[in-house]
């Protein structure tokens, strides 16, 4: 695989330009997918998009985890459950992605579940105007039929994955995702993020 080194600031600028060019729908949904570093990159795109006149909202997928009774039904360190049972795909689709459709309400729920307190967040909905962009970041976002208009996948080499993921027990889940979904083939942009200070964009 051939990668083009790029600075973090230049990466954010290049991705901002590509997202801003998306005008095929009234509102745009962007996924920043990966095992580590997704939140900071989504945040890095938010203000530059606003400066271009695009209302931008960052929605961490962690706000759509399922209740602990469902996530930990097979134990707190079950990699298969981490892969298939932790994220509330239906909630993310219903509360974030469906409202962004051209015939949707345009009102997005920024989080559904507080995983630390294990209870509903009860946050108010946020209106997303025309030309608005919602950036959803998290793990295992691809291959589940979620309607994203643009996808950035942060790829980690096996060694970097072991270094950067704190939950070592979850490594088989990431390996399964790589093998079953092949996120690099589905993403619009693939960024090698072994060292977040020195990213590199995959160029086929």
């Amino acid at each position: 695989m051939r990668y083009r080194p790029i600075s973090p600031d230049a990466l954010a600028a290049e991705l901002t330009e590509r997202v801003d060019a998306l005008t095929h729908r009234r509102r745009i949904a962007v996924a920043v997918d990966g095992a580590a570093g997704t939140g900071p990159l989504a945040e890095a795109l938010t203000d530059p998009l606003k400066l271009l006149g695009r209302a931008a909202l960052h929605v961490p997928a962690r706000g759509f985890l399922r209740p602990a009774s469902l996530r930990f039904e097979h134990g707190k360190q079950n990699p298969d459950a981490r892969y298939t049972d932790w994220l509330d795909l239906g909630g993310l689709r219903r509360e974030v992605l469906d409202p962004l459709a051209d015939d949707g309400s345009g009102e997005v729920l920024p989080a559904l579940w507080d995983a630390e307190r294990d209870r509903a967040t009860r946050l108010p909905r946020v209106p997303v105007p025309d030309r608005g962009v919602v950036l959803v970041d998290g793990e295992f976002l691809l291959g589940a039929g979620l309607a994203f208009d643009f996808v950035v996948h942060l790829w980690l080499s096996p060694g970097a994955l072991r270094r950067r993921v704190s939950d070592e027990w979850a490594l088989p889940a990431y390996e399964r995702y790589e093998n079953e979904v092949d996120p690099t083939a589905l993403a619009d942009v693939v960024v090698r993020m072994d060292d977040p200070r020195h990213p590199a964009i995959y160029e086929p």
Side-chain angles (χ1 to χ4, degrees):
M1 300 180 80
R2 179 169 170 262
Y3 286 90
R4 169 169 53 92
I6 190 170
S7 71
D9 289 344
L11 173 64
E14 186 169 321
L15 293 176
T16 297
E17 183 178 342
R18 291 195 60 172
V19 171
D20 186 46
L22 299 173
T23 58
H24 63 289
R25 292 208 306 144
R26 292 173 59 189
R27 295 170 286 263
I28 299 298
V30 175
V32 183
D33 172 74
T38 59
L41 182 57
E43 280 293 322
L45 302 182
T46 302
D47 286 341
L49 284 167
K50 291 178 179 178
L51 290 175
L52 293 174
R54 307 287 295 254
L57 176 66
H58 176 204
V59 176
R62 184 167 180 79
F64 289 83
L65 293 180
R66 302 171 79 199
S69 60
L70 298 176
R71 295 200 315 277
F72 303 144
E73 184 178 1
H74 303 289
K76 292 187 176 183
Q77 296 188 353
N78 185 299
D80 288 328
R82 173 76 167 256
Y83 180 51
T84 60
D85 298 340
W86 278 34
L87 184 60
D88 183 355
L89 293 169
L92 187 59
R93 184 180 292 110
R94 180 182 67 252
E95 305 294 351
V96 178
L97 299 176
D98 286 352
L100 298 178
D102 287 345
D103 59 352
S105 68
E107 295 190 345
V108 167
L109 191 66
L112 180 63
W113 195 260
D114 184 334
E116 292 185 3
R117 298 183 180 183
D118 200 34
R119 67 185 187 188
T121 58
R122 304 189 186 282
L123 293 175
R125 297 183 182 278
V126 177
V128 179
D130 285 2
R131 300 189 71 248
V133 178
V134 173
L135 300 126
V136 179
D137 88 275
E139 60 184 22
F140 311 136
L141 295 178
L142 307 184
L146 297 177
F148 293 110
D149 300 288
F150 188 78
V151 173
V152 181
H153 175 66
L154 305 187
W155 183 81
L156 297 175
S157 66
L161 184 65
R162 288 191 295 271
R163 290 195 307 272
R164 299 197 58 199
V165 172
S166 58
D167 298 332
E168 185 176 353
W169 60 267
L171 290 176
Y174 299 112
E175 294 169 0
R176 182 178 170 188
Y177 183 56
E178 187 80 18
N179 293 330
E180 294 184 4
V181 174
D182 191 8
T184 58
L186 298 179
D188 297 286
V189 177
V190 177
V191 182
R192 182 167 183 159
M193 201 63 92
D194 286 3
D195 182 345
R197 299 167 299 178
H198 303 286
I201 293 180
Y202 171 57
E203 294 188 330

